[in-house]
Amino acid sequence: MNYYIKNLSEIYDDISKEIIGLVNSKANPILGLATGSSPIGIYERLVNAYNKGEVCFKNTKTFNLDEYVGLDSYNPNSYRYYMNNNLFNKIDIDINNTFLPSLENCDKYDDMIKTAGGIDIMILGIGSNGHIGFNEPYTSFDSLTHVTDLTESTIKDNSRLFSNTDEVPKKAITMGIESIMRSKKIVMVITGKNKKNIIKELKKGIVHESIPASILYRHKNVDIYIDKSI
């Protein structure tokens, strides 16, 4: 596991350049994507690169990490809306090659990823309680894509994106921890002052289900970028 402490602009530059290099060099690249505030600068840079003619996404497929239960694609708080608005509608990717987990495909999602060739680069954020995707503490490390209940801490963290806490969905569909670990490379972006404590815990190197992100120590190719302003 590699740690990089940089300012956000440098972090977004580094990760977007790596993604662009993959997309330009591989015939059928597969990206694993996250939402929220952590990766937004990556998507902005990918759009800018596309507008400059530096990258083409026509042969790219994407699999998103998670999605809320009960929000349709037209809801501004859904992750489909987020991805369309911040990336997919601004580049030349085939929208039919962009996938998010749903109640309909939940049992097939991992097979869909495998059939596509497996995720080349998986982008992750981390919750203040150490969750990755919506894999809350004590989620089995063997878990595959599933429906999960959100903890109060996660609901509170995500409420900043809603009018009030009551509007935050209480359930989500998420890639499981094993699903994430099957990715060929994992890149985590950590931003936000509320992540100080979980960074300290993660750096101890103790792998335990109480901190889902700690499983990343068992992956052979992980880069963790930490905003130096934290």
Side-chain angles (χ1 to χ4, degrees):
M1 184 181 293
N2 304 306
Y3 282 95
Y4 302 96
I5 300 175
K6 300 186 175 187
N7 65 51
L8 271 180
S9 180
E10 292 174 318
I11 290 171
Y12 294 147
D13 286 345
D14 288 354
I15 298 172
S16 60
K17 286 176 182 177
E18 183 170 8
I19 292 172
I20 291 166
L22 169 72
V23 171
N24 283 338
S25 63
K26 188 171 182 181
N28 301 106
I30 311 295
L31 303 178
L33 303 178
T35 54
S37 56
S38 296
I40 192 69
I42 300 170
Y43 302 147
E44 290 172 351
R45 283 157 176 76
L46 294 181
V47 171
N48 288 338
Y50 165 72
N51 288 334
K52 293 177 181 178
E54 296 172 355
V55 64
C56 171
F57 293 93
K58 288 183 178 179
N59 296 319
T60 301
K61 290 184 178 180
T62 66
F63 289 88
N64 260 75
L65 187 61
D66 43 28
E67 176 61 287
Y68 287 119
V69 171
L71 300 186
D72 62 36
S73 61
Y74 299 102
N75 189 310
N77 288 309
S78 75
Y79 292 162
R80 167 56 78 177
Y81 186 97
Y82 171 105
M83 292 305 310
N84 287 351
N85 191 54
N86 288 297
L87 184 62
F88 298 151
N89 290 344
K90 298 180 177 181
I91 58 176
D92 59 347
I93 196 168
D94 182 347
I95 201 68
N96 294 313
N97 286 333
T98 65
F99 304 96
L100 282 83
S102 67
L103 293 176
E104 291 72 27
N105 69 21
C106 183
D107 293 338
K108 302 179 289 185
Y109 204 62
D110 294 285
D111 286 338
M112 291 165 60
I113 295 171
K114 182 178 179 180
T115 300
I119 292 171
D120 293 300
I121 297 178
M122 178 83 238
I123 306 300
L124 294 180
I126 186 173
S128 60
N129 63 358
H131 74 250
I132 48 177
F134 280 121
N135 295 288
E136 301 286 7
Y138 297 101
T139 300
S140 170
F141 284 161
D142 296 326
S143 60
L144 298 176
T145 301
H146 62 283
V147 177
T148 186
D149 295 318
L150 304 185
T151 64
E152 288 301 318
S153 64
T154 297
I155 290 171
K156 181 180 179 181
D157 285 349
N158 290 2
S159 65
R160 72 189 188 281
L161 304 172
F162 292 78
S163 298
N164 58 70
T165 303
D166 291 337
E167 290 186 2
V168 184
K170 305 303 185 288
K171 291 180 179 289
I173 308 131
T174 183
M175 284 187 197
I177 293 176
E178 173 62 23
S179 310
I180 293 168
M181 290 292 285
R182 291 175 180 176
S183 304
K184 297 165 191 173
K185 178 165 187 180
I186 296 172
V187 176
M188 175 180 281
V189 181
I190 305 180
T191 63
K193 301 287 187 183
N194 63 330
K195 308 294 174 60
K196 279 186 177 181
N197 289 336
I198 198 60
I199 291 171
K200 291 178 182 177
E201 291 299 316
L202 191 61
K203 283 188 172 181
K204 291 177 181 177
I206 300 171
V207 178
H208 193 271
E209 289 182 351
S210 61
I211 302 177
S214 67
I215 189 64
L216 299 181
Y217 277 99
R218 296 181 181 170
H219 195 285
K220 64 182 180 180
N221 195 3
V222 177
D223 289 340
I224 295 184
Y225 288 87
I226 301 173
D227 178 5
K228 71 177 183 180
S229 69
I230 295 177

